[in-house]
Amino acid sequence: MGKRILIVGGGLAGTIVANGLCRQLGQELRDGSVSITVLGTSDTHLYQPGLLYVPFGRIRESELFREQRKVLDRRVPYLIDPATNIDLEAKEVTTESGKTLGYDYLVIATGSRIMPQNVPGMAEGAHWFYDLEGARRMRDALDAFEGGKIVVNVNAPHKCPVAPLEITFMLYDYLTAKGLMKKTEITYTYPIGRLHALEPVGEWAQGEMDRLGLKYETFFNTKEVDSKAKTISSEEGTTFDYDLLVTIPPHQGAQVIEDSGLGTGGWVPTDREKLLHDGSTDVFVVGDTTNIPISKAGSTAHFEADTVVDNLSSLITEGRWARNYDGKVFCFVETGMDTGTYVWFNYTTPPNPGPPSQMVHWFKLAYNRLYWLSARGLL
Ligand SMILES: Cc1cc2nc3c(=O)[nH]c(=O)nc-3n(C[C@H](O)[C@H](O)[C@H](O)COP(=O)(O)OP(=O)(O)OC[C@H]3O[C@@H](n4cnc5c(N)ncnc54)[C@H](O)[C@@H]3O)c2cc1C
């Protein structure tokens, strides 16, 4: 029997790993010395960053989805059969349909999910754009909004480190264009003592918010939302009234991670350079589900996935490690409806956001289309 590579999770990271391995292990796949299988939850692949544009009617929903079967290399069996238990001792994964799949190498790529239910009142009182249903409801709420108090409330941990800033700046431009900003107050809340986890980004964001006249509150760890009184309160004792509450809900990793005893909150303990499950030599962890204190972002998942592909194929074909992950992340940042900037950083180099420009905004829009090439591993 050849080496069996099992990838749990067919989102961004799992898909790039599978497609990348197919490119590097073509001969081995042909002669049967390697097989690659992906386990997923759905027949569709969602381009999550596109959700940012849904509340403003700036993207067609059809642009957000592709058939997962068509995004994955045809040599990879894709089973829509979620993992229910991962047993690292037995090297087996059990699925919802009752299958037990053995592996020689496992790649855990189960991502993260929003948990508005973790904050009392949040699910009832808040809007969000982190899933399609939420983004549609937020679009309807924005259509009906006639001015008043908006609170943009950020909870941690969350994926896409810059999306809360992007939605804030886009709201400002959107409401200005509708003539509503004159009678609107936007307050941005953040759980730590600055406006972003990355200090240079926080400083830059504070300058932008001061320039636009947006309010902000740091050290705001959300305690509860009262959807009847339309208030949101923090553990620190601050309360804001709102007419429209836009929240980035707290996140957790996948349930199967907790159920398998692999990591608290669904975050898998991971070596930040080797991207191996701590203590393992045959279990790779990639994307949002790692516990590495680094931005949970598509670009992180992409750069990590490339590293895993190089190492896994090198281990199989040459018996040696290829390279370590250096913490590289690159994110475009919308700074309004028609300007953008970008940040890149790694474990040793901090980010340094540049002045916003229309050109970077257009790059981001172009990338929204190119994503599908990126997921196929062609970019
Ligand atoms: C609104 C929004 C805007 C964003 N903007 C950006 C951006 O501008 N730039 C950027 O870099 N990133 C952005 N992101 C973040 C990016 O989408 C994620 O970080 C990225 O998708 C992470 O990839 P992943 O493979 O780890 O997780 P995912 O892509 O979420 O994939 C995880 C997969 O695992 C599957 N899964 C879960 N449990 C199981 C199970 N038990 N068995 C089998 N499969 C399972 C899930 O169904 C899912 O398909 C944004 C996200 C959102 C929501």
Side-chain angles (χ1 to χ4, degrees):
M1 186 168 39
K3 296 271 181 225
R4 298 156 302 168
I5 302 173
L6 180 59
I7 301 172
V8 183
L12 174 60
T15 301
I16 294 179
V17 170
N19 289 338
L21 288 173
C22 285
R23 268 199 324 283
Q24 298 217 18
L25 298 172
Q27 177 59 42
E28 289 74 12
L29 285 165
R30 266 194 301 281
D31 66 24
S33 58
V34 166
S35 67
I36 305 167
T37 304
V38 176
L39 283 182
T41 56
S42 160
D43 60 357
T44 50
H45 187 117
L46 166 64
Y47 175 55
Q48 298 176 41
L51 293 169
L52 174 69
Y53 303 89
V54 172
F56 307 105
R58 282 278 182 115
I59 200 163
R60 280 177 295 119
E61 287 185 11
S62 60
E63 292 178 64
L64 300 174
F65 293 99
R66 291 284 185 282
E67 271 178 57
Q68 174 63 5
R69 190 51 275 172
K70 291 192 175 156
V71 183
L72 261 188
D73 191 291
R74 61 188 161 73
R75 288 167 285 183
V76 177
Y78 177 61
L79 311 182
I80 305 171
D81 194 3
T84 49
N85 190 56
I86 298 173
D87 185 338
L88 301 188
E89 290 275 306
K91 295 189 175 216
E92 281 176 356
V93 173
T94 312
T95 69
E96 205 169 85
S97 74
K99 287 193 188 70
T100 299
L101 304 174
Y103 63 83
D104 296 290
Y105 289 104
L106 178 68
V107 179
I108 303 178
T110 43
S112 59
R113 60 204 165 116
I114 57 170
M115 302 296 287
Q117 62 273 34
N118 284 1
V119 178
M122 183 175 275
E124 299 77 34
H127 285 278
W128 58 81
F129 56 99
Y130 265 57
D131 60 18
L132 184 58
E133 272 309 304
R136 283 180 184 147
R137 278 192 287 111
M138 185 172 156
R139 179 182 56 204
D140 295 345
L142 270 182
D143 276 347
F145 185 73
E146 292 177 338
K149 291 182 176 171
I150 298 183
V151 175
V152 179
N153 160 249
V154 189
N155 297 275
H158 68 83
K159 61 186 148 192
C160 192
V162 295
L165 295 171
E166 293 183 293
I167 199 82
T168 306
F169 297 134
M170 289 169 82
L171 277 170
Y172 176 88
D173 271 8
Y174 172 87
L175 295 169
T176 301
K178 281 182 98 176
L180 290 173
M181 205 47 223
K182 288 189 283 289
K183 41 182 183 166
T184 299
E185 179 182 282
I186 299 180
T187 304
Y188 178 91
T189 77
Y190 205 73
I192 60 171
R194 52 180 183 257
L195 299 185
H196 195 271
L198 299 163
E199 202 168 339
V201 178
E203 281 168 15
W204 167 81
Q206 187 168 340
E208 289 297 297
M209 289 196 197
D210 287 341
R211 186 174 66 78
L212 299 174
L214 308 181
K215 295 182 181 307
Y216 43 83
E217 175 80 9
T218 55
F219 291 119
F220 191 98
N221 288 280
T222 314
K223 184 178 177 196
E224 60 188 354
V225 174
D226 184 333
S227 57
K228 291 213 173 66
K230 292 198 157 196
T231 59
I232 178 165
S233 309
S234 71
E235 298 287 355
E236 291 80 1
T238 312
T239 297
F240 289 110
D241 298 332
Y242 67 82
D243 296 294
L244 178 64
L245 174 60
V246 177
T247 192
I248 314 301
H251 286 43
Q252 282 180 8
Q255 190 63 44
V256 65
I257 303 300
E258 292 238 49
D259 292 349
S260 309
L262 291 183
T264 315
W267 313 122
V268 184
T270 307
D271 181 291
R272 70 178 207 152
E273 288 177 334
K274 298 210 171 306
L275 303 174
L276 284 167
H277 171 252
D278 275 345
S280 300
T281 53
D282 51 9
V283 180
F284 289 85
V285 193
V286 61
D288 288 354
T289 194
T290 77
N291 75 338
I292 304 173
I294 190 177
S295 303
K296 294 191 183 301
S299 87
T300 315
H302 191 155
F303 291 125
E304 289 179 350
D306 286 346
T307 312
V308 169
V309 167
D310 285 350
N311 286 322
L312 198 35
S313 46
S314 178
L315 283 172
I316 288 173
T317 57
E318 297 172 34
R320 58 185 291 276
W321 193 255
R323 65 182 173 95
N324 286 347
Y325 173 58
D326 66 356
K328 187 171 174 193
V329 182
F330 177 100
C331 288
F332 287 116
V333 189
E334 296 285 26
T335 53
M337 292 308 248
D338 60 5
T339 56
T341 182
Y342 66 90
V343 284
W344 87 264
F345 48 97
N346 62 23
Y347 288 142
T348 52
T349 313
N352 180 20
S357 72
Q358 274 193 324
M359 194 175 70
V360 180
H361 163 71
W362 287 110
F363 273 136
K364 174 149 181 159
L365 293 191
Y367 184 78
N368 289 342
R369 304 265 164 97
L370 293 173
Y371 170 80
W372 300 107
L373 291 179
S374 173
R376 286 189 182 96
L378 300 173
L379 196 69

